[in-house]
Amino acid sequence: MLRSAAALGLTNAALARAVGLSESTVSRMASGTRQLDVGSKPAELAALVIRVYRSLDALVGNSDRHRRLWMDSYNRAFNAAPREAIATAEGLARIVAYLDGARALS
């Protein structure tokens, strides 16, 4: 989750909002002193963050530049930039569905 978030250009604060944790909990996870509880809501949302990374990475050909550009660009499907939409569980789920659809077309 942490590597996927970093590759997407998400800060610890943005990742914390996306998965429903405090920023300090995410920092403890980064230092290795805390882990997600299997089966918890944050773990489920973390899996979606990883799916966003994997789907987007497949679409942009492992390009950091294109991945971050997509995250920062306004998208009418979300009525926001994906970086902003990912802050809510609903937005995160919409991004996953959008990317799954885009991958199906390619």
Side-chain angles (χ1 to χ4, degrees):
M1 170 191 72
L2 295 168
R3 287 191 302 253
S4 294
L8 292 170
L10 298 176
T11 63
N12 280 355
L15 177 60
R17 279 191 307 277
V19 298
L21 296 171
S22 68
E23 189 175 350
S24 61
T25 299
V26 171
S27 293
R28 286 193 295 276
M29 291 173 66
S31 70
T33 60
R34 181 91 190 327
Q35 294 182 351
L36 284 175
D37 296 325
V38 176
S40 67
K41 188 57 69 179
E44 291 175 15
L45 294 171
L48 292 181
V49 171
I50 294 166
R51 279 184 61 191
V52 168
Y53 164 73
R54 287 182 176 172
S55 294
L56 186 55
D57 195 57
L59 288 170
V60 300
N62 198 27
S63 169
D64 287 336
R65 180 178 165 274
H66 287 111
R67 190 181 317 109
R68 294 202 180 183
L69 182 63
W70 188 85
M71 289 293 292
D72 291 332
S73 298
Y74 178 84
N75 188 314
R76 288 188 299 175
F78 317 127
N79 200 29
R83 178 174 317 286
E84 297 164 4
I86 208 168
T88 66
E90 178 187 354
L92 181 56
R94 289 178 66 201
I95 292 169
V96 168
Y98 178 92
L99 289 171
D100 285 351
R103 285 184 64 197
L105 295 175
S106 60

